[in-house]
Amino acid sequence: MAVTVPPAPHLPEEALREVYAYPDPARAPDEQNPYSDAGRLAIKGESMAKLVLMDILRERVPTRELTELRVNQYLRDFAHNTTLAYRWLRWVEFPRTVDRHSPAVSLSSDPPAPFLLVVEIRRVFYTYVGAVCTAHSYSVVKQWFGLLMESVL
């Protein structure tokens, strides 16, 4: 039986540009665009993802079993599985200094190369979550994560 991934919350085009483009530390944030700083979105996304997962897990798992180490591991696995389920990496615009066809950054290997697993998967996931929090709300992220946990992950 094929598992269906629930739709990710809709994001405006300017937010998607930040999610899929490599962060450029030399670029100054645009004060008129709340999505213009991918680094800030990723930090916000990581914090919000952890809060949402804690809320959901507290509803489903006995509190004594929720150690910080377990939650952090679950968050890493959740970020990894979500990013791969949506196949977000195929949209990433790598900088010119990264050879997209190099085995070190191969998107076609199964599983993808370690560089992407460790760095890019988390960056894309957290930036997307941060953009969802900016565009919508905490409750939208919680509802989305709940659907993901029930259907795929």
Side-chain angles (χ1 to χ4, degrees):
M1 179 171 103
V3 178
T4 339
V5 180
H10 174 76
L11 290 176
E13 189 176 318
E14 61 267 19
L16 291 174
R17 266 189 246 118
E18 287 299 315
V19 171
Y20 298 128
Y22 249 64
D24 180 1
R27 186 185 68 179
D30 174 1
E31 297 302 323
Q32 303 302 314
N33 177 359
Y35 309 102
S36 74
D37 185 346
R40 184 182 69 217
L41 290 173
I43 290 168
K44 180 179 186 177
E46 184 174 7
S47 298
M48 294 305 287
K50 190 170 185 176
L51 286 172
V52 167
L53 279 177
M54 284 294 294
D55 277 356
I56 292 172
L57 291 173
R58 279 194 180 115
E59 294 167 3
R60 299 176 183 195
V61 178
T63 306
R64 67 182 175 281
E65 294 179 21
L66 287 179
T67 65
E68 183 155 356
L69 182 61
R70 273 189 136 171
V71 171
N72 288 336
Q73 180 59 52
Y74 191 85
L75 180 58
R76 284 190 296 273
D77 292 345
F78 188 78
H80 175 88
N81 293 337
T82 300
T83 302
L84 294 182
Y86 285 110
R87 301 178 64 204
W88 284 334
L89 294 180
R90 65 191 161 143
W91 304 112
V92 172
E93 297 173 16
F94 289 95
R96 291 188 183 117
T97 56
V98 175
D99 178 5
R100 187 180 183 109
H101 303 291
S102 161
V105 292
S106 174
L107 294 174
S108 59
S109 63
D110 190 19
F115 170 79
L116 291 175
L117 289 176
V118 174
V119 178
E120 198 56 19
I121 285 176
R122 289 182 191 161
R123 185 196 69 78
V124 169
F125 175 77
Y126 292 134
T127 306
Y128 198 97
V129 173
V132 171
C133 287
T134 301
H136 301 289
S137 66
Y138 176 88
S139 59
V140 170
V141 176
K142 186 174 179 182
Q143 180 182 14
W144 173 42
F145 279 20
L147 291 172
L148 281 168
M149 291 170 80
E150 290 170 9
S151 63
V152 218
L153 310 172

